[in-house]
Amino acid sequence: MIPDNILLTLCAHGALAVLFGCALFFMRMPAGILVGVFVAFAVTNCTLEPLTLPDTLRVVIQILAGSCVGCSLTRSDLFHIPHLVKPLSIMLISCFAIMLIGAVCISALTNCDMLTALMCAVPGGINDTPVVAIDMGADGITVTILQLVRQIIGVAVFPAVIHLLDMKSNAQTDHRVQHAQHTTHVERRVPHTIRNTCAKQAAHIKVLNRLQAYTPAPLRHHKEQEAVSDEGSQAKEQQKHHDIPMRTMRTIAALLVASICGIIGYATHIPGMIFTLVVAGVLALKLGANFAYSPRSIKRLVQVLSGAYLGSLITPDKLHVLLELILPALVIVALYTLNCFITGALHKRLCGYTSAEGRMMSIPAGASDMILILDDMRIQNNDIVIVHAVRAAAVAALFPQIVNLLCFGARTIGL
């Protein structure tokens, strides 16, 4: 029997979570579901009786989030990676440099330890990085707030700024081209005989088009096309129904492998190993057997669970931490702004991309976000999506263990 006060608290948390999550989701805010649920749980925790969620929820979140990250790459992406060695190297080196510089600045401006500072600066996903950081022993509130700042500027601010700069650059280029054409324009006159020949040819084509309109062959061809299109639509419908059970089986297989890898990682008692092994296991299943799938509903579930768990950490006695994170947040914004322009310039000079493409490769956003952003900006370059997908997988699988090694080395030498 659940006590009435606990039931009331659960209802209040759930109602506010649905309200805030749906509102921010339909407003298309970056990670809107996670932010809404996080704010709802934080508000109810500070106004009503605090709700403490079990630590086993961290393991569940890492398993689900790891399966999503592991399914983000495809075989075609893997075959395309050898052609993207240079931009990927630039991207990963810049991510590592930002993590080190950001950690030094954050630890100097706040009282947080080096582990928390490093996880604050890791360019990972907002759905998993704070939970992995808590599992490693870092301060979850600090990591969550600064990762949210990075996510919001990466998805909502940087693309708009890059688009404005690209439009300004294109306008200046068009102006220079028009000025050059105006100053070097030479009027060319078409001879009278050529004009007469073109007019006769145009009239001849017009007569042929009229004759063709009265022949019954196009009608038969049109009916054949309709029959073919009907057969194609029926085939697509059958293929769609056939894909549903196949996707379900692939989803179950991915979750099963993720659960096994998560249990093994939990048994090792190594911080961050759960998420690392889950990503590696699902990625091997996806690239090796091509039998792994992660529907969008799992990602939404991860956002709900992560927002609830992270929001439950906010209590009235920890609100002062939010004020202490203003300067570190500005440091994160400044570092990623510099990285966007410096790394974007390197991509342009060394890899041959345009300024907009190079900068879009450098912003801290997810691969799924990049697909929508590039479509809005009318940039058709799949290299950007692949680079971000590889970056997300590499950061998720490798950077937590790199942080472990750095913290171990710092403790060894007495820092």
Side-chain angles (χ1 to χ4, degrees), residues 1-83:
M1 185 69 180
I2 300 176
D4 292 340
N5 57 341
I6 300 296
L7 187 60
L8 178 63
T9 304
L10 285 172
C11 292
H13 280 76
L16 274 181
V18 171
L19 179 63
F20 280 67
C22 291
L24 296 182
F25 173 73
F26 287 113
M27 290 171 61
R28 295 187 177 181
M29 181 179 180
I33 296 176
L34 187 145
V35 176
V37 177
F38 172 79
V39 171
F41 269 71
V43 169
T44 49
N45 252 24
C46 294
T47 55
L48 300 176
E49 184 178 352
L51 181 65
T52 303
L53 297 179
D55 291 336
T56 53
L57 186 60
R58 288 205 311 262
V59 180
V60 176
I61 294 172
Q62 291 181 79
I63 289 173
L64 295 176
S67 67
C68 294
V69 175
C71 292
S72 60
L73 287 177
T74 62
R75 283 183 174 180
S76 60
D77 297 338
L78 184 65
F79 294 145
H80 199 60
I81 285 175
H83 304 287

Side-chain angles (χ1 to χ4, degrees), residues 171-208:
Q172 292 175 351
T173 303
D174 293 341
H175 178 71
R176 287 196 296 266
V177 170
Q178 289 176 1
H179 181 70
Q181 289 177 348
H182 179 72
T183 55
T184 61
H185 177 70
V186 178
E187 184 178 359
R188 295 192 179 101
R189 295 184 178 179
V190 181
H192 180 70
T193 56
I194 296 178
R195 287 201 302 267
N196 288 340
T197 304
C198 293
K200 291 179 180 178
Q201 289 179 351
H204 184 63
I205 292 172
K206 194 172 183 181
V207 171
L208 289 177

Side-chain angles (χ1 to χ4, degrees), residues 196-332:
N196 288 340
T197 304
C198 293
K200 291 179 180 178
Q201 289 179 351
H204 184 63
I205 292 172
K206 194 172 183 181
V207 171
L208 289 177
N209 288 336
R210 287 180 178 176
L211 292 173
Q212 195 174 16
Y214 290 101
T215 58
L219 296 176
R220 292 196 301 268
H221 181 65
H222 181 67
K223 291 181 179 178
E224 291 175 358
Q225 282 186 339
E226 285 184 346
V228 171
S229 63
D230 290 340
E231 291 176 359
S233 61
Q234 291 177 1
K236 287 182 180 179
E237 194 69 24
Q238 292 177 358
Q239 183 68 24
K240 184 178 179 181
H241 288 299
H242 176 72
D243 286 344
I244 293 176
M246 184 59 67
R247 287 182 179 179
T248 304
M249 292 174 62
R250 289 179 177 179
T251 303
I252 294 173
L255 292 176
L256 183 61
V257 171
S259 302
I260 294 172
C261 294
I263 293 171
I264 295 173
Y266 182 77
T268 61
H269 298 289
I270 299 176
M273 187 56 71
I274 297 175
F275 192 67
T276 300
L277 289 182
V278 170
V279 172
V282 177
L283 195 60
L285 180 66
K286 179 69 180 291
L287 300 180
N290 195 22
F291 200 77
Y293 179 73
S294 180
R296 189 172 297 178
S297 57
I298 291 183
K299 185 177 180 180
R300 301 272 163 78
L301 177 61
V302 170
Q303 290 188 351
V304 172
L305 296 178
S306 297
Y309 183 79
L310 298 171
S312 67
L313 302 177
I314 303 289
T315 53
D317 59 323
K318 295 181 180 178
L319 290 177
H320 67 280
V321 177
L322 303 180
L323 298 177
E324 297 175 358
L325 297 178
I326 296 177
L327 285 178
L330 295 177
V331 169
I332 293 292

